[in-house]
Structures are given as structure tokens and as C-alpha cells.
Amino acid sequence: MDSHQEVLERLRSSFLSGKTRPEEFRLSQLMALAQLITDNEKAILEALHQDLSKPKFEAVLSELDMVLNEANYTINNFRTWMQPEYVDKNLATKFDDCFIRKEPLGVVLIIGAWNYPLQLILLPLVSAIAAGNCAVLKPSEVSQATEKILADLIPKYLDQDCYAVVCGGAEETKTLLENRFNHIFYTGSQAVARLILQAASVHLTPVTLELGGKSPCLIFGQVDVPAAARRLAWAKFFNAGQSCVAPDYVLCTPQMKDALLPALRKALELFYSPQPQDSQDYGRIVTDRHWTRLTRLLRQSQGKVEIGGGSQQEERYMAPTVVVDVKETDPLMEEEIFGPILPILTIDTLEEGISFVNRREAPLALYVFSDDNKVVNTVLEHTTSGGFCSNDGMVHMSLPSLPFGGIGSSGMGRYHGRWGFETFSHSRGCMLRGWGLERINTLRYPPYTEERLGWLRWATTVKKKSSWGCALM
């Protein structure tokens, strides 16, 4: 097996040769990546089930189809994204070509996460390929079966001189990060993100961080309670709650809580039967360590388990669980839950809910359920989050034309669609000038005079639009 240094030298040499830059090469690799998914669907589904007991339905929607849709959307649009973007000019540059050129960064590192082990490594790879980069992929060692299938398939479908998979645990990642990359894209926890930033600072490497946080769901005003319960339960307990954009907790009035609980109980029985442990449509916690953390959080909580609460370590099973009478200082509110436990906290006013959200770190996603557009818009205008969705959960991240990413402690940078292409591209400002009009250029040469300065300021000053002046009067 090649050392990290040998892998990087091979990829960097390939990048410097210009191999990844032509449109035709990028297209061929994007199409090969899509073919990898379609050719190996059964094996990929088996790996995902082995790692997380993912039901086929969930795996197809959130892993295979997410990657295929991203690849197809990018194939349909990346030629347009590659084109130079011409910019406004002033009188001094009227006869020049002034444009932004999108150029690949070089050799990038993509570090994936275990909860969506295929999607979270291949979606950024789609963007990196489209932008013309070489890439080193580091899948999560926690999801071992998916890590193995990626290591086996990527070299068979993609150019081995341009793309490589590196496997291993924390020490392997630490060693890998000692090398210089042109960009690092990391999906995972805030704790590891800090280590990534420290390693990247040595080489001043730019970094994209896709993290998480406690994404709130604020339910206020009139709402279709049965529909809200179904959408909330689906978003929360999809992948056994192991989603970075899952609703982490609910804020609602005491009256809404009383109406919501029986609707949630009914929805969960409809989804997973009265015995979720026997359901083929409900996943499992990824490792014993993660299961232990979740059971400890639930045991330490001062809230009351209203729905679920059961668990079994042998299967790494934890029932869909709803906890009420939860306080802001409860252990369930100290960190992202990342599992099938849903705390419900009560508020009396919308302002109280907004204040609660704003006292905490900005979340990766924020959800509002309400029939009243005024409620939705008030929350939208008075909060901040990586993404926002009303009357549903998680579905906003499935649209390739919307940017996906965090803010503050929930991440930095964004991707999906054109946003991913831009993340892995350098926007190079270009001005192409000729040798004509040199007589006009003499205005800027010494010896300086007030008259020359006046002419230059006239030719280069940006004027305010008159409509703004009218608006301010």
C-alpha cells in the first residue's frame, strides 16, 4: 500500500499536468461516479444495513438517490458554472476584458461521517470533481462496511491518478492531516473540527466544516396536529435520529404539548408498530459507545419519558423516545442528542421561543410549524441558522439548488449544487488589457498634477444610483 506521501505526490503530479481541468474529463468522472452507484446498489445497501441497520427505503432516499441526484444535477449544469463571469467596468477599463475565472484548487481532502457514510463522502466529491480537483477521500472508520466498499469501488470507477481512498482511524487521520492540501472538507463533530482547524493552520489551508448542533422545532399557533406529528416523527426518527439536521428538541405551548403527545404516539405506532424493535423500518445506533452515551443522557435527564424509553444493548436498539417536562438546564439540552430522543420544552409566547433559540449557539437547521405565515416569517426574520424549513423537517437539504451548511458552531462554508462547485473553486479575478490608448494611460504616470487626478477620479469613480437617493429622501 502506498504511503500518504506517495498518494499525494501521484495526485499532485496528475493535477499539475492539467489532466482534471478539461470539461470532458470532469464529465467522464461524474458519469463514472453515478455508474458506481447504479452498478452496486445491492452491495451498498447491504453495507449500510450492516453498519446502521438502515432500511432500504431510508438508504435509497438519503444515500443513493441523494448522490445520484447531485451527480445528475451537476452534470446538467457544471458547464455553465465553468464559464467566465464578466463583471461591470468603469470608463478607465471600458476596452478591457474583465471577468472572474473559476479554477480548481488542487488536491483536496474530504473527510466523511458515519451517520450517512456514503452521502457525506460522495456529495462533496461530486463538487470537487466538477470543479476540476484531485481528491483524497477519508471515509469514517466507524461505519466499517461502507468504508470498505468505498475503498474497493472508487479505484475501479474513478481515475486512480486523480482520486484515492485512505482508510483508518483517528491516528491515520491525524497523520494524513500533517500533509499539505489545497482544501479540507470535513463533516463531523465540533470537537474534531477544532483539531482539523489546528492542523490546517500549519499550512494555511482553507477549510469547510459541516458540523451539527441542536436544531430546534418551534410549534406555535394553529397547526394540523396529526400532520405535524407525522412530519416531526419522520424527521426526528429517520436513521434512528442520527442525522445532523434532525429536530433536536421541540418548543411549544403546554396546550400544544398536550395535543401533540397523543398524535406523536399514534404516528410512531403507525410508522414502526407498537413494537418498534421488531420493525424492519427502524434503524439502530451505530456502536456500543454511542448507545451508551444516549442511554446515559436519558438516565440523567430530569424530564419524564412520555413515549418509548426502552433499549437493548445487544442490538444497539433504542426506542423512539419522547421526553416532557424538560428544563433548559437538563442534560438532554447540553449537547446535540444525535439519537432517537426528543425533548419537549414548553413556552408561553412566540417571543419566549425565539429568545430561547437565540440564547444558544446558531443551529444547523431551524424548523417552524404553524399555519400562520406571520409566525413563520417572524421566526425567520428574528433568528439565524444554517438552513430553515417551515412545516416539515430535513427535506430542505435534499434540493441541490439550495446551499447547505452551518453558521458559527454549526459549521462554515456550504455545498450542494453550484454552492459545492464554488467551494472547491478559486474565483480568479482577471483583466486582459491591450496596448492601445496609451495616451490616456499617461494620466496616471508621474509627474502628478491636480488636473490628471481629476480626470482619473472622473473615469474610475463609482456613482450612486439616483433611485437610492430618492429612497433616502
Side-chain angles (χ1 to χ4, degrees):
M1 182 180 294
D2 292 343
S3 67
H4 294 164
Q5 193 63 39
E6 290 171 329
V7 169
L8 284 167
E9 286 178 1
R10 183 175 78 245
L11 269 58
R12 197 167 300 284
S13 175
S14 186
F15 176 77
L16 292 174
S17 75
K19 185 176 185 177
T20 60
R21 289 177 179 262
E23 175 188 313
E24 296 77 10
F25 178 84
R26 305 185 198 192
L27 178 60
S28 71
Q29 297 302 294
L30 288 170
M31 293 180 70
L33 185 57
Q35 196 66 43
L36 181 156
I37 302 294
T38 55
D39 287 352
N40 300 279
E41 178 173 314
K42 183 179 179 181
I44 292 170
L45 290 173
E46 288 175 354
L48 292 168
H49 191 270
Q50 186 175 335
D51 286 330
L52 290 138
S53 295
K54 285 203 182 197
K56 177 182 177 181
F57 193 96
E58 292 189 1
V60 168
L61 280 182
S62 64
E63 303 266 15
L64 281 74
D65 281 5
M66 279 282 288
V67 176
L68 284 173
N69 288 337
E70 183 79 12
N72 291 336
Y73 183 83
T74 301
I75 287 168
N76 293 341
N77 291 282
F78 84 98
R79 297 175 183 87
T80 302
W81 303 339
M82 289 175 62
Q83 299 307 308
E85 179 184 342
Y86 288 87
V87 300
D88 294 336
K89 296 182 288 186
N90 54 30
L91 285 173
T93 57
K94 187 174 181 61
F95 299 103
D96 303 323
D97 286 332
C98 303
F99 57 92
I100 301 167
R101 174 182 163 92
K102 300 303 169 77
E103 298 185 345
L105 298 174
V107 179
V108 303
L109 172 62
I110 300 172
I111 305 175
W114 54 261
N115 56 324
Y116 293 93
L118 188 84
Q119 178 212 131
L120 295 178
I121 200 93
L122 295 189
L123 243 62
L125 177 61
V126 168
S127 299
I129 292 172
N133 298 281
C134 291
V136 175
L137 308 180
K138 173 59 184 68
S140 172
E141 74 282 1
V142 176
S143 45
Q144 294 181 3
T146 309
E147 176 191 44
K148 183 179 185 304
I149 202 168
L150 285 168
D152 290 342
L153 293 178
I154 291 291
K156 295 178 181 176
Y157 283 82
L158 301 185
D159 192 309
Q160 295 186 39
D161 290 331
C162 302
Y163 313 102
V165 179
V166 173
C167 298
E171 285 303 315
E172 190 78 13
T173 303
K174 182 180 178 182
T175 304
L176 187 61
L177 286 167
E178 292 173 358
N179 296 281
R180 182 176 65 86
F181 292 92
N182 298 97
H183 194 92
I184 297 174
F185 190 106
Y186 169 73
T187 303
S189 70
Q190 295 173 4
V192 176
R194 292 182 174 88
L195 301 177
I196 300 285
L197 282 173
Q198 289 175 7
S201 69
V202 175
H203 301 289
L204 297 178
T205 302
V207 175
T208 298
L209 300 176
E210 297 295 343
L211 309 177
K214 297 185 73 64
S215 297
C217 179
L218 203 159
I219 306 177
F220 197 84
Q222 294 296 315
V223 67
D224 183 337
V225 173
R230 288 191 295 269
R231 296 185 185 191
L232 174 62
W234 178 82
K236 175 60 183 181
F237 300 110
F238 190 97
N239 199 33
Q242 297 166 114
S243 303
C244 57
V245 290
D248 194 88
Y249 62 95
V250 169
L251 294 171
C252 66
T253 63
Q255 296 79 10
M256 178 59 70
K257 180 197 73 172
D258 292 341
L260 186 63
L261 283 172
L264 276 172
R265 185 177 287 107
K266 184 176 180 180
L268 289 170
E269 289 185 2
L270 179 68
F271 290 177
Y272 308 118
S273 83
Q275 300 296 328
Q277 190 169 355
D278 299 329
S279 173
Q280 298 299 308
D281 298 323
Y282 186 67
R284 295 295 185 267
I285 307 306
V286 66
T287 66
D288 288 338
R289 180 172 64 86
H290 290 82
W291 181 91
T292 299
R293 183 186 71 86
L294 289 167
T295 54
R296 185 184 70 249
L297 278 177
L298 189 59
R299 187 172 60 251
Q300 292 174 345
S301 174
Q302 300 301 306
K304 175 187 175 185
V305 174
E306 190 71 31
I307 300 173
S311 60
Q312 185 184 73
Q313 185 168 10
E314 278 185 16
E315 289 188 27
R316 300 195 305 276
Y317 165 77
M318 173 168 279
T321 299
V322 179
V323 185
V324 298
D325 301 334
V326 176
K327 306 299 182 185
E328 186 172 0
T329 55
D330 195 272
L332 288 174
M333 298 303 295
E334 292 177 358
E335 59 184 81
E336 183 179 9
I337 294 172
F338 222 70
I341 305 171
L342 180 64
I344 297 180
L345 295 83
T346 56
I347 54 170
D348 294 318
T349 66
L350 183 61
E351 291 71 24
E352 185 183 345
I354 291 172
S355 176
F356 186 99
V357 171
N358 287 337
R359 285 198 301 271
R360 311 180 73 84
E361 296 285 352
L364 182 58
L366 196 156
Y367 304 111
V368 180
F369 286 17
S370 180
D371 292 345
D372 189 341
N373 288 336
K374 185 178 179 181
V375 169
V376 173
N377 289 326
T378 297
V379 177
L380 178 60
E381 292 172 2
H382 291 87
T383 61
T384 189
S385 60
F388 182 93
C389 182
S390 67
N391 298 324
D392 215 332
M394 296 210 305
V395 293
H396 65 288
M397 70 169 295
S398 67
L399 190 62
S401 52
L402 280 177
F404 179 78
I407 180 171
S409 65
S410 60
M412 60 177 72
R414 44 208 23 85
Y415 71 125
H416 290 191
R418 177 152 195 170
W419 303 91
F421 177 88
E422 298 285 351
T423 288
F424 286 105
S425 297
H426 167 54
S427 294
R428 188 178 186 184
C430 301
M431 180 182 289
L432 306 184
R433 312 204 78 188
W435 293 104
L437 304 178
E438 181 61 16
R439 186 173 180 180
I440 295 177
N441 283 324
T442 59
L443 290 173
R444 62 191 167 106
Y445 302 150
Y448 301 132
T449 66
E450 287 296 320
E451 182 182 12
R452 289 184 176 186
L453 179 61
W455 278 108
L456 278 177
R457 294 184 73 180
W458 176 77
T460 59
T461 297
V462 177
K463 311 295 193 299
K464 291 193 297 287
K465 291 183 178 180
S466 58
S467 59
W468 278 108
C470 294
L472 294 172
M473 290 177 64

